[in-house]
Each structure stands twice: as C-alpha cells, then as structure tokens.
C-alpha cells in the first residue's frame, strides 16, 4: 500500500495545474473494477480514484479480469484504451499474472511475446503523447485453507533469463 501511495503522490505532483489528465489502467483482475453488489472482490484500479483529486485527473479503469497482455490485445481492449490517450495522460500497465497461465487458450504468453507486448504498450502510449508506467505483476501464492502455506509463499513461474 505504501508503494501505491508513492505512485499516487508522484502522479499528483507531476500533473499540470491547468490541464486535467486521464489515468488509464490496463491489466488483469488484480486492478480491475467489480460491481460491489455482486462480489466482494476489489481491484486496486477500482479504488485509485479515491486517492486522486477529481479536478486534477480522471481515472479510467480499463483493466479486465482474466486478461493477459496477449488477450488484452487480441480482444481489442488495447485499441479501445489507446484511443482514449491524449498528450500528458498516464497509462498504468500491469500484466504477467495471467500471461504465465498455460491452461487457458489465447492467454498464455512466452517470455519473448510478453516482452514484446509490454514494449508495444509503452511505445504506442508514448506515440499518443501519454506517459507509460509499468507495474510489477502480482505474484500467486499457495494457500492451505485460509493461510499461505510454508511450501510456497510466492510462485513465479515466468522467470526471465
């Protein structure tokens, strides 16, 4: 939570006083928006607007549950997000959590594909005049009941060479 607060402060102090910018989030379920009347899940992108002055910036949470960098592109979600970028806007990018899955058709990415997708998000955000911000993907944990098991506190199945 301390890291998220630091990022928010960074974004707050870099805003132009006169221009209202957009903060667009793209990623997976860990940052996605959920309907509070149907679930207890909350992605961090859903709560981001609570930390941003509404007269300085607008938060647009385009993250979607179950998406990888690959499926976000193939489903046209990236093109929709990219169309919203104006000069000076921020694009917060967090993928990897679902890219590592090998059992979901159209989701898993090889390391070179994942790297290429991230580079594309960054270069196309910059080309639109936006500021890309890469976030580390959330790690998976092994649970035994409701506690993190001793056999595997963090699982990182994609390890760059």
């Amino acid at each position: 939570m301390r890291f998220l607060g630091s990022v928010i402060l960074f974004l707050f102090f870099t805003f132009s006083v006169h221009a209202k910018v957009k903060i667009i989030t793209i990623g997976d379920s860990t940052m996605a928006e959920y309907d509070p009347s149907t679930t207890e899940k909350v992605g961090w992108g859903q709560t981001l607007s609570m930390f941003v002055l509404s007269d300085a910036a607008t938060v647009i949470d385009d993250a979607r549950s179950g998406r990888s960098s690959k499926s976000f592109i193939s489903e046209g979600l990236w093109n929709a997000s990219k169309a919203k970028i104006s000069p000076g806007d921020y694009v917060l990018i967090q993928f990897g959590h679902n890219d590592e899955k090998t059992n979901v058709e159209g989701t898993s990415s090889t390391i070179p594909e994942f790297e290429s997708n991230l580079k594309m998000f960054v270069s196309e955000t910059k080309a639109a005049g936006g500021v890309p911000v890469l976030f580390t993907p959330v790690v998976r944990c092994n649970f035994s009941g409701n506690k993190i098991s001793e056999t595997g506190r963090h699982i990182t199945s994609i390890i760059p060479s």
Side-chain angles (χ1 to χ4, degrees), residues 2-88:
R2 187 180 314 182
F3 174 74
L4 182 57
S6 299
V7 169
I8 292 165
L9 284 174
F10 166 77
L11 294 173
F12 174 77
F13 287 113
T14 58
F15 292 145
S16 165
V17 176
H18 303 291
K20 186 170 184 176
V21 300
K22 293 184 292 290
I23 301 171
I24 302 165
T25 65
I26 65 169
D28 57 38
S29 62
T30 61
M31 72 186 323
E33 198 169 301
Y34 296 91
D35 181 347
S37 67
T38 62
T39 184
E40 293 180 357
K41 292 181 186 179
V42 176
W44 67 261
Q46 182 173 350
T47 61
L48 184 59
S49 62
M50 295 177 2
F51 302 96
V52 176
L53 296 176
S54 61
D55 58 341
T58 301
V59 176
I60 301 170
D61 190 356
D62 281 349
R64 296 291 178 270
S65 181
R67 300 318 185 274
S68 64
S69 65
K70 184 179 191 172
S71 62
F72 201 83
I73 294 164
S74 68
E75 293 176 15
L77 297 169
W78 170 238
N79 284 337
S81 295
K82 184 171 54 172
K84 299 172 187 174
I85 303 171
S86 299

